[in-house]
Amino acid sequence: MIKAIATDLQPDWDGRQRIAADRLDELRRERGVAKLEGNTFDSRQIVEAEAELDAIAAAQVEAERRRRVEQEAATQARRAELRAHITETLDARSKAITEAELAVYKLASAMEQLLATSKDVSRTMQALGHNAPMSMDENGIKLRASLRMAAILGPVCGTTFGRISFPIARGPHLADGTSLLDSWHDSDAKKIASDLSKVITPENNHE
């Protein structure tokens, strides 16, 4: 009888226990009637009914034990999956931090280079007898750079990221008059083209 719990479809043990208990009660009643009336009664039926009831009770206990074992195994498997997920996610997070740090250092270096070369161009133009171009003014360069960075970071950071605030930079045109349809490089090239043409265009170079 206990083997029945090995199947995927679990029997109704409570229902079977009630039926077996009722059957045992009925057999005991019949035995009493037979005794009262002086008739014979096969007591083996009661022994078998009691054995059936005991077997059902044992099966219930075993079924519950197996259910708990399976539940615990499933819980542990899920916990293992979650721990593995945390490990993988922490690895990705760690890589993101490293990449972000390197990117910020690269950005800082690039900004330093941008400002330094802009000053160099302005000084060189002045040495050639021209006025320092407004498009190379440090404040203007910082404004254009801040707008471009805000446009790039905005979808992720919004207008604030911790204690860093970004200007509103939505397209298609930014506050400096450049278009987001152009790359940062191309928009800057258009911005400084007029100021530089007087120096780098051959017909304007009479030195």
Side-chain angles (χ1 to χ4, degrees):
M1 306 300 291
I2 298 178
K3 293 182 180 179
I5 65 173
T7 62
D8 292 334
L9 181 61
Q10 295 296 316
D12 178 11
W13 293 115
D14 289 337
R16 292 183 64 171
Q17 186 179 45
R18 286 193 299 270
I19 293 173
D22 290 344
R23 174 59 177 163
L24 180 58
D25 288 341
E26 178 64 20
L27 288 172
R28 285 171 174 168
R29 189 189 68 80
E30 291 179 2
R31 182 177 61 178
V33 170
K35 186 68 172 178
L36 180 63
E37 295 180 352
N39 298 323
T40 59
F41 181 83
D42 186 358
S43 295
R44 289 177 298 179
Q45 298 181 73
I46 291 180
V47 173
E48 292 175 358
E50 289 175 340
E52 173 71 4
L53 191 59
D54 289 343
I56 291 174
Q60 284 181 296
V61 172
E62 177 62 14
E64 177 61 18
R65 187 193 68 80
R66 293 188 183 186
R67 185 193 68 78
R68 291 180 179 178
V69 169
E70 291 175 358
Q71 185 179 53
E72 179 62 20
T75 298
Q76 292 303 322
R78 177 57 178 161
R79 290 175 66 84
E81 289 178 2
L82 293 175
R83 284 193 293 268
H85 176 71
I86 289 176
T87 299
E88 293 175 3
T89 304
L90 284 175
D91 182 59
R93 181 179 183 275
S94 179
K95 290 179 181 178
I97 290 175
T98 300
E99 290 176 3
E101 183 177 24
L102 291 175
V104 172
Y105 275 119
K106 287 184 178 181
L107 176 62
S109 177
M111 289 297 98
E112 183 180 32
Q113 183 76 356
L114 173 59
L115 294 174
T117 52
S118 298
K119 287 181 180 179
D120 193 359
V121 170
S122 292
R123 285 194 297 265
T124 304
M125 289 184 67
Q126 287 177 313
L128 289 171
H130 299 282
N131 293 325
M134 292 297 296
S135 62
M136 291 290 176
D137 176 69
E138 183 173 301
N139 290 330
I141 291 173
K142 288 181 177 179
L143 171 64
R144 298 201 298 275
S146 68
L147 290 171
R148 284 287 160 170
M149 286 187 283
I152 294 170
L153 295 172
V156 176
C157 303
T159 56
T160 59
F161 194 72
R163 293 190 176 184
I164 302 175
S165 297
F166 298 100
I168 297 176
R170 300 187 181 93
H173 294 91
L174 299 177
D176 62 355
T178 60
S179 173
L180 279 177
L181 298 177
D182 295 324
S183 67
W184 186 348
H185 172 276
D186 291 347
S187 67
D188 184 75
K190 291 179 181 179
K191 200 75 173 177
I192 66 176
S194 177
D195 288 332
L196 294 183
S197 64
K198 65 184 70 173
V199 177
I200 61 178
T201 302
E203 56 266 27
N204 291 330
N205 189 0
H206 302 297
E207 287 76 19

